[in-house]
Amino acid sequence: MRHPEKSDILLNAAGVAVAGLVGLGMFFLIGARYGAPVLGVFNKVFAVYLVAAQISSFGLPVSALRRLAPLRNDGPACRTALWGALLAAVPAIGLVAGGLWLAAPFLGRLGLGGETARGLLWAAAALPAFSCAKILLAALNALARLKTYALCNALRYVLLLCGVLLHMAFGLDAAVLPAVLLFAEGLLSAVLAFFLRDILFAPPPIRELLPEVGAHTRFGLRAFGGNLVQDLNLRVDVICLGLLMPDTAVGIYSMAALLAEAASQLPAVLRTVYNPRTMVMLAQRDDAALAECIRRVRNLTWIGMSCAGLAAVALYPYAVPLITGRPEFAEGTAAFALLMAGTVIGAGWAPFGNLPAGAGFPGVQSLIVLAAFLLNLCGNFLLIPILGLEGAALSGAASQALIAALLHRFARKTLRLAV
């Protein structure tokens, strides 16, 4: 298989850069306009929303990626596989969206707060569109339509920002700010359907779909736990802080976490670009080429992210208060430094985060991210009462380091790759 073109890498890097800058601009705008408490509430809603979306998508984006990549030159087979993934997601989407709607008041009483509970009602309404969008984005990635993928990946955050700007322009109450989730995901799903119209429209007969639905469901059951816990691992710090600390502290930490997460999207560009190639090399058992690819990309990523991380930590205490006009956000500097340390450590293996599932070991991938999640969860509950924001950040950094170590061990011991 061909090496990814430089234009693919550059365009996806540009897409991630636009998504990151626009997404950060949105959160900066919310923080500057409404202050840390409202930002804290919005980020709690966003964290629960992303976890619920992972549950409702049921591991099917990974299944679609794995199934469609070898079929990219067979239009009818791609159509059947994609429709199978979408239909397999319907039961989970309905159950999770309905469950979140009913559970929102309980979650508010549990400790997330009444404002968060009201925001979760909007999140529940947006879940069906978000879950479908995840599967359609995975299909674009599998089909190596990387230019379109880059555009749509950036478009999500552009639409979110547009929603926030419209919310402010109409002078709406901060309590309905999470409605921007429904606005953005609904429009993004329509755009994705347009770009995949050649294989999405004119669905195949039901007799052809049923085997695909079954295959996706079986794979989704095996991959579900790992994908759920992976997303939960990225949000557990905000959720734990929301339970243990005031909204203002959550807002200050959220700013640091959002910037660290934006930095983590840089190696995600390489995962997007190399996913199709990795899946084909795994299917063909081209171990030598795969090992060489992992070594080269991993080492270059570590070098680049180390430089970027040092620069970001040095600028944070000056740039963030200046941009937001709120000096209290400088209190998150130490937490940001710890989060960036974890991001740099995990960056080398981030481009190959789907390696176990792609090799046919979704259960192993689930165990890897489960171990990291349990470390993160226990660390948060133990360290937040002692260290505050820094305790949450230290737990997150340790979990990222553990994922990198376990992926390295899997590649060497199970796949016998010389990495």
Side-chain angles (χ1 to χ4, degrees), residues 64-86:
L65 175 65
R66 183 171 181 266
R67 178 77 176 118
L68 267 69
L71 301 174
R72 71 181 64 172
N73 296 319
D74 187 343
C78 285
R79 181 179 295 109
T80 304
L82 179 54
W83 270 100
L86 290 169

Side-chain angles (χ1 to χ4, degrees), residues 54-64 66 85 88-89 91-92 95 212-229 357 360-367 369:
Q54 192 66 61
I55 298 173
S56 65
S57 60
F58 197 58
L60 294 170
V62 178
S63 183
R66 183 171 181 266
L95 287 172
E212 284 291 340
V213 171
H216 281 299
T217 301
R218 288 190 294 273
F219 188 90
L221 283 170
R222 292 188 293 154
F224 166 70
N227 283 277
L228 167 62
V229 176
F361 295 90
V364 172
Q365 183 149 335
S366 297
L367 290 175
V369 294

Side-chain angles (χ1 to χ4, degrees), residues 215-297:
H216 281 299
T217 301
R218 288 190 294 273
F219 188 90
L221 283 170
R222 292 188 293 154
F224 166 70
N227 283 277
L228 167 62
V229 176
Q230 186 172 17
D231 229 40
L232 186 57
N233 191 43
L234 295 174
R235 313 295 165 189
V236 68
D237 47 0
V238 173
I239 294 172
C240 289
L241 282 168
L243 294 172
L244 299 173
M245 298 190 75
D247 287 343
T248 299
V250 179
I252 291 170
Y253 180 86
S254 295
M255 189 63 72
L258 289 165
L259 285 165
E261 185 177 348
S264 72
Q265 295 307 302
L266 297 174
V269 172
L270 297 175
R271 180 167 63 242
T272 298
V273 172
Y274 280 91
N275 258 337
R277 184 167 184 253
T278 301
M279 297 300 168
V280 173
M281 286 190 290
L282 285 167
Q284 295 175 348
R285 292 301 302 168
D286 193 351
D287 294 347
L290 180 57
E292 190 276 332
C293 178
I294 290 174
R295 288 195 305 269
R296 176 168 49 84
V297 173

Side-chain angles (χ1 to χ4, degrees), residues 290-292 294-295 298 349 407-408 411-412 416-419:
L290 180 57
E292 190 276 332
I294 290 174
R295 288 195 305 269
R298 178 194 61 193
W349 280 93
L407 283 172
H408 179 264
R412 287 185 63 86
R416 305 292 183 183
L417 299 177
V419 293

Side-chain angles (χ1 to χ4, degrees), residues 112-352:
L112 292 180
E115 291 295 320
T116 304
R118 285 188 286 275
L120 289 175
L121 297 177
W122 288 106
L127 270 180
F130 188 35
S131 299
C132 289
K134 284 173 69 70
I135 295 172
L136 296 177
L137 276 169
L140 283 176
N141 192 187
L143 297 172
R145 300 180 183 181
L146 298 179
K147 296 176 178 63
T148 305
Y149 181 94
L151 171 65
C152 293
N153 195 37
L155 185 60
R156 164 173 280 136
Y157 287 93
V158 171
L159 291 172
L160 282 170
L161 177 59
C162 289
V164 171
L165 291 172
L166 287 171
H167 177 275
M168 293 179 177
F170 284 104
L172 301 178
D173 189 85
V176 298
L177 185 59
V180 303
L181 301 173
L182 177 59
F183 169 81
E185 297 302 337
L187 288 177
L188 178 62
S189 295
V191 171
L192 286 165
F194 171 78
F195 282 122
L196 285 166
R197 64 191 182 279
D198 57 318
I199 63 169
L200 190 60
F201 296 158
I206 191 67
R207 66 178 181 277
E208 296 180 15
L209 282 175
L210 289 178
E212 284 291 340
V213 171
H216 281 299
T217 301
R218 288 190 294 273
F219 188 90
L221 283 170
R222 292 188 293 154
F224 166 70
N227 283 277
L228 167 62
V229 176
Q230 186 172 17
D231 229 40
L232 186 57
N233 191 43
L234 295 174
R235 313 295 165 189
V236 68
D237 47 0
V238 173
I239 294 172
C240 289
L241 282 168
L243 294 172
L244 299 173
M245 298 190 75
D247 287 343
T248 299
V250 179
I252 291 170
Y253 180 86
S254 295
M255 189 63 72
L258 289 165
L259 285 165
E261 185 177 348
S264 72
Q265 295 307 302
L266 297 174
V269 172
L270 297 175
R271 180 167 63 242
T272 298
V273 172
Y274 280 91
N275 258 337
R277 184 167 184 253
T278 301
M279 297 300 168
V280 173
M281 286 190 290
L282 285 167
Q284 295 175 348
R285 292 301 302 168
D286 193 351
D287 294 347
L290 180 57
E292 190 276 332
C293 178
I294 290 174
R295 288 195 305 269
R296 176 168 49 84
V297 173
R298 178 194 61 193
N299 295 340
L300 289 174
T301 303
W302 267 332
I303 293 170
M305 285 299 297
S306 296
C307 297
L310 288 172
V313 171
L315 290 172
Y316 185 91
Y318 308 102
V320 174
L322 179 65
I323 295 171
T324 61
R326 294 181 180 269
E328 63 267 27
F329 283 116
E331 297 174 25
T333 301
F336 178 69
L338 289 169
L339 289 169
M340 280 303 302
T343 298
V344 171
I345 293 170
W349 280 93
F352 305 98

Side-chain angles (χ1 to χ4, degrees), residues 94-112:
L95 287 172
V96 175
L100 182 59
W101 180 278
L102 295 174
F106 170 75
L107 292 173
R109 292 192 296 270
L110 185 65
L112 292 180

